[in-house]
Amino acid sequence: MVAASVSLESLCVNSIRMLAVDAVNKSNSGHPGLPMGCAPMGYALWQNILNHNPNNPKWFNRDRFVLSAGHGCMLLYSLLHLTGYKSVSIDDIKEFRQWGSKTPGHPETFETEGVEVTAGPLGAGISNAVGLAIAETHLAAKFNKPDCNIVDHYTYVIMGDGCNQEGIASEACSLAGHLKLGKLIALYDDNQITIDGRTDVSFTEDVLKRYEAYGWHVQHVEDGNHDVKGITEAIEKAKLITDKPSIIKISTTIGYGSPNKSDTAGIHGAAVGEEEAALTREFLNWEYPPFEIPDEVYAHFRKSINKGENLEKEWDSKFEEYQKKYPSEGAELHRMLKGQLPENWDSDLPSYTPDDKGLATRKHSQICLGALGPNLPELIGGSADLTHSNYTDIKGETGSFQPHSPEKRYLHFGVREHAMAAVLNGIAYHNSGLIPYGGTFLVFADYMRGSMRLSALSELGVIYVLTHDSIGVGEDGPTHQPIETIPSLRAMPNMLVFRPGDGNETSGAYKLAIQNRKRPSALCLSRQGMPNQENTSIEKVSLGGYIVSDCEGTPDLIFIGTGSELNLCIEASKEISSLGKKIRVVSMPCLELFEEQEESYKESVLPSSVKKRVVVEAAHSFGWHKYTGFDGICITMDRFGASAPGGECMKNFGFTVENVVNKTKEIL
């Protein structure tokens, strides 16, 4: 390595490096290697290219920056601090990875303003970025006019070898290439080091050829350690490519500046130590003590504040003019950006009586989407190649989001469940009022679980439409019959899991899913039909659990049912009641919402004095024993299913009125 000069540019770049070294050293935890290696590209992008306003991190038309290699978060925190974001002070840098700090171990949107996505698992960030780019492209196609580009910003990503090895990134980037997302630009930190050592122990492909095959524009900057000008020019060139996403491979040295640890796995995820920090200071001609930044560096970086404020003022004036010229579109975009739903958006959600034909809840879901579509223009989504099984199409909508029709709001994700969930998160991260939904079979939630977890963690109101929710799937057999999936999703904090028992409850689930913009919803829907019940309603779903059939006085036994098994409880209760027993039936479409009710309400539905309870659900019993106690039973699925017609599966595994009655008699 050749020692860096002390030009202002070098001082700025080395400020990023040394903040990372000092913060990781102080906490004795973190990943200094990436920020030390990526400092030049971070500087080039944030100082020379990025349109952003440190005084308003939520300005709508800002460029979005995603650090997909989230472990290197000191790069992002250093850039936020140096460019003047109030969310990251020098004291926050000093408290890196400590309790209550604004500089956690991976970037989190809900902790630190200026962080666009919660980049946890590798590959998730670049996949989120595809969603951000889809959101920008869709809104631009919908709202821009020949004389006014009111939606006009880029999505930039820094990703590493780890991101490029994760399958989720391959799925998402393949989709991005198909959709020709020209405003998505990725900077690939090619440092050839991962935790296990040099990448050639497992990763020898030509990454740029792969991306070229995806339909991306590719470039290579060979000297990522010093060539700020070359990086800047490559980004500017990428911006000129409007019909392809772009990836720029930037070859760097991990931990650049550390004489003994750079270019080794040892600097990937461990502090350099005080002795090596001193040697790094000497190598970089850095004459300042820990956490001290020269005034001229702050002055230079914080030009971003005036630049950003001027950019936002220009955009505000343009939007004001846009609203005058195009009052209808202007009012709609303004409403969306404020996070407000349209008036009467839910007015066409259907309600049902027992006289109405019973349908599968996946079909009720399609009817709900058809009712919401015209009234909720921000609804956007699709399916992972299962449109005609999930019924995720919006009635009356023609065509889909394609390179030639990005104004459309139906997305064909292809057989890419993993990427679909991350892309939906990205659309939600865009914070433009769009409401994303995506469909697949419930059992394939296992592909999506990492991103679903990030939906919940990051308070993203993504709607997961998960059909074929039990052994009622039938002939596809146990590989496609979810058993443990529903209880495992219920175990996820901040996730609403709905299993509606008829049409009314499906409408209610959709209403709540749309209203909950800071909680994702999983709608678990049946393949098989079920009758509409007499006492269900859209409104009662908000209680999570409620009485659908009751007796006089204190019941002898309470049935608790969900989904297609709610009707089993209703029918079994009739037979048990005919024996002179007092029976109550409770529908429990959403356990999370029931748990959030007042204790007095929960006691009124499930009196603690009534010990005999029967839960009926064609899923694993995990979690239900809280409600059945020692005196109750679960009629559930604690083994894998079988390949046979759905009705035969339900019968053979005991989901019949006869079996429910017989099992209930045993505890009476």
Side-chain angles (χ1 to χ4, degrees):
M1 295 188 296
V2 179
S5 67
V6 261
S7 65
L8 178 58
E9 181 180 279
S10 292
L11 274 177
C12 290
V13 170
N14 290 337
S15 295
I16 299 169
R17 288 174 169 142
M18 293 314 302
L19 281 176
V21 168
D22 294 338
V24 174
N25 263 2
K26 186 173 185 294
S27 68
N28 196 30
S29 174
H31 300 75
L34 182 142
M36 294 171 75
C38 288
M41 73 177 82
Y43 172 80
L45 178 60
W46 278 65
Q47 197 63 17
N48 299 338
I49 303 289
L50 199 70
N51 288 336
H52 63 118
N53 183 2
N55 279 342
N56 182 10
K58 296 299 184 185
W59 168 45
F60 166 66
N61 206 43
R62 68 194 182 278
D63 291 334
R64 270 59 169 183
F65 171 72
V66 175
L67 181 62
S68 188
H71 58 276
C73 55
M74 270 309 307
L75 173 70
L76 178 52
Y77 298 146
S78 297
L79 289 165
L80 290 170
H81 170 66
L82 291 168
T83 55
Y85 284 73
K86 295 180 179 67
S87 55
V88 182
S89 67
I90 195 66
D91 288 333
D92 292 315
I93 298 283
K94 291 176 182 177
E95 292 301 301
F96 178 56
R97 289 191 163 211
Q98 303 308 300
W99 181 271
S101 77
K102 293 296 180 184
T103 50
H106 284 75
E108 298 167 358
T109 53
F110 49 89
E111 285 289 354
T112 314
E113 279 202 320
V115 172
E116 298 284 4
V117 311
T118 303
L122 290 175
I126 177 63
S127 306
N128 296 154
V130 174
L132 287 166
I134 286 173
E136 192 277 341
T137 303
H138 172 69
L139 293 170
K142 181 174 180 177
F143 288 107
N144 285 351
K145 302 295 180 181
D147 61 343
C148 186
N149 284 345
I150 201 64
V151 182
D152 185 15
H153 50 267
Y154 287 81
T155 300
Y156 297 100
V157 185
I158 289 180
M159 63 193 300
D161 288 304
C163 294
N164 277 319
Q165 290 177 53
E166 289 285 0
I168 186 173
S170 299
E171 291 181 21
C173 293
S174 170
L175 178 62
H178 164 73
L179 293 177
K180 302 184 186 299
L181 300 175
K183 287 190 171 179
L184 173 61
I185 299 173
L187 311 183
Y188 163 32
D189 173 30
D190 169 40
N191 64 37
Q192 300 181 30
I193 294 288
T194 57
I195 293 173
D196 277 358
R198 303 208 69 80
T199 53
D200 61 12
V201 299
S202 63
F203 188 59
T204 51
E205 67 188 51
D206 188 324
V207 172
L208 292 190
K209 283 185 179 177
R210 168 155 60 100
Y211 276 80
E212 200 168 10
Y214 287 156
W216 287 53
H217 176 255
V218 302
Q219 298 179 75
H220 183 199
V221 176
E222 294 186 3
D223 182 10
N225 295 328
H226 306 100
D227 192 4
V228 170
K229 182 173 181 285
I231 295 168
T232 303
E233 289 174 350
I235 298 170
E236 293 286 11
K237 185 176 180 181
K239 290 176 69 175
L240 298 175
I241 308 298
T242 59
D243 62 345
K244 293 180 179 182
S246 291
I247 185 169
I248 305 167
K249 179 170 119 173
I250 303 174
S251 295
T252 67
T253 301
I254 190 170
Y256 179 84
S258 169
N260 298 305
K261 296 189 176 182
S262 65
D263 201 30
T264 71
I267 203 166
H268 169 86
V272 300
E274 293 305 320
E275 184 177 333
E276 189 68 13
L279 293 173
T280 302
R281 280 179 158 74
E282 183 180 344
F283 178 84
L284 295 175
N285 294 320
W286 186 256
E287 300 173 350
Y288 307 94
F291 303 107
E292 184 177 316
I293 301 297
D295 290 341
E296 59 265 39
V297 168
Y298 276 129
H300 184 63
F301 267 115
R302 291 187 177 174
K303 291 176 183 176
S304 297
I305 296 174
N306 286 336
K307 177 188 172 186
E309 286 182 339
N310 289 334
L311 285 168
E312 184 170 359
K313 284 176 185 174
E314 289 172 15
W315 186 84
D316 286 344
S317 297
K318 184 186 285 189
F319 190 39
E320 214 172 289
E321 186 66 24
Y322 179 91
Q323 288 173 296
K324 290 175 184 174
K325 280 187 171 182
Y326 309 103
S328 176
E329 294 93 331
E332 184 174 316
L333 181 57
H334 181 68
R335 174 187 63 75
M336 288 173 61
L337 296 183
K338 289 176 71 176
Q340 296 175 344
L341 296 173
E343 289 185 16
N344 302 317
W345 64 271
D346 58 340
S347 59
D348 294 328
L349 281 172
S351 58
Y352 300 87
T353 72
D355 294 331
D356 293 311
K357 181 182 178 182
L359 300 170
T361 49
R362 64 169 175 157
K363 189 65 180 175
H364 284 302
S365 168
Q366 183 185 42
I367 294 168
C368 287
L369 287 170
L372 291 167
N375 297 335
L376 203 61
E378 52 263 58
L379 190 65
I380 180 171
S383 173
D385 200 54
L386 290 168
T387 297
H388 305 296
S389 293
N390 301 146
Y391 294 145
T392 42
D393 53 317
I394 300 175
K395 187 178 179 181
E397 293 284 316
T398 57
S400 61
F401 186 119
Q402 295 293 336
H404 61 275
S405 56
E407 75 282 358
K408 302 293 185 180
R409 51 187 174 143
Y410 194 76
L411 291 159
H412 290 286
F413 290 101
V415 189
R416 301 185 182 100
E417 293 89 351
H418 201 173
M420 177 177 73
V423 168
L424 295 173
N425 282 348
I427 294 171
Y429 280 130
H430 198 255
N431 289 316
S432 52
L434 293 173
I435 299 176
Y437 73 93
T440 187
F441 291 166
L442 175 60
V443 75
F444 298 147
D446 286 338
Y447 281 122
M448 306 192 297
R449 190 172 301 274
S451 290
M452 294 178 77
R453 184 175 183 273
L454 289 172
S455 303
L457 178 66
S458 299
E459 300 181 344
L460 304 176
V462 174
I463 301 171
Y464 296 97
V465 182
L466 306 172
T467 69
H468 297 63
D469 70 347
S470 74
I471 54 172
V473 169
E475 293 89 343
D476 278 335
T479 62
H480 281 55
Q481 294 169 359
I483 302 303
E484 77 293 351
T485 316
I486 291 174
S488 70
L489 292 177
R490 287 176 179 148
M492 198 175 286
N494 200 44
M495 173 74 73
L496 294 175
V497 181
F498 295 95
R499 190 165 188 250
D502 68 357
N504 287 328
E505 290 193 348
T506 307
S507 292
Y510 264 100
K511 182 174 181 177
L512 290 162
I514 296 294
Q515 288 174 329
N516 276 277
R517 293 295 80 229
K518 290 196 172 184
R519 297 176 79 172
S521 297
L523 276 57
C524 304
L525 307 167
S526 72
R527 180 192 185 195
Q528 71 275 24
M530 60 192 77
N532 294 300
Q533 303 298 335
E534 187 172 354
N535 293 314
T536 58
S537 76
I538 294 174
E539 292 72 25
K540 288 177 182 176
V541 177
S542 65
L543 298 168
Y546 60 98
I547 299 167
V548 290
S549 176
D550 210 1
C551 57
E552 290 188 9
T554 303
D556 297 314
L557 180 139
I558 299 174
F559 283 109
I560 304 171
T562 77
S564 50
E565 291 74 69
L566 176 60
N567 188 60
L568 283 180
C569 293
I570 295 285
E571 295 302 317
S573 73
K574 294 174 183 176
E575 290 201 26
I576 300 294
S577 296
S578 70
L579 302 176
K581 298 295 183 180
K582 293 187 288 186
I583 305 298
R584 172 178 292 179
V585 179
V586 171
S587 177
M588 195 75 80
C590 183
L591 269 69
E592 296 79 18
L593 291 176
F594 182 71
E595 285 297 324
E596 291 169 10
Q597 304 307 310
E598 296 287 341
E599 288 299 323
S600 57
Y601 174 75
K602 289 190 281 187
E603 176 67 18
S604 73
V605 175
L606 298 175
S608 53
S609 60
V610 182
K611 305 294 185 184
K612 294 180 178 180
R613 304 175 183 181
V614 178
V615 165
V616 188
E617 184 175 63
H620 199 281
S621 61
F622 184 83
W624 279 118
H625 297 95
K626 174 179 181 178
Y627 298 95
T628 59
F630 292 113
D631 299 313
I633 58 170
C634 293
I635 301 174
T636 48
M637 278 295 297
D638 289 355
R639 55 151 288 179
F640 291 114
S643 180
E648 285 295 308
C649 286
M650 297 297 273
K651 177 182 176 182
N652 281 286
F653 286 115
F655 293 97
T656 63
V657 174
E658 179 184 15
N659 185 58
V660 172
V661 168
N662 290 337
K663 292 287 186 183
T664 302
K665 286 178 180 178
E666 292 175 8
I667 65 167
L668 279 171

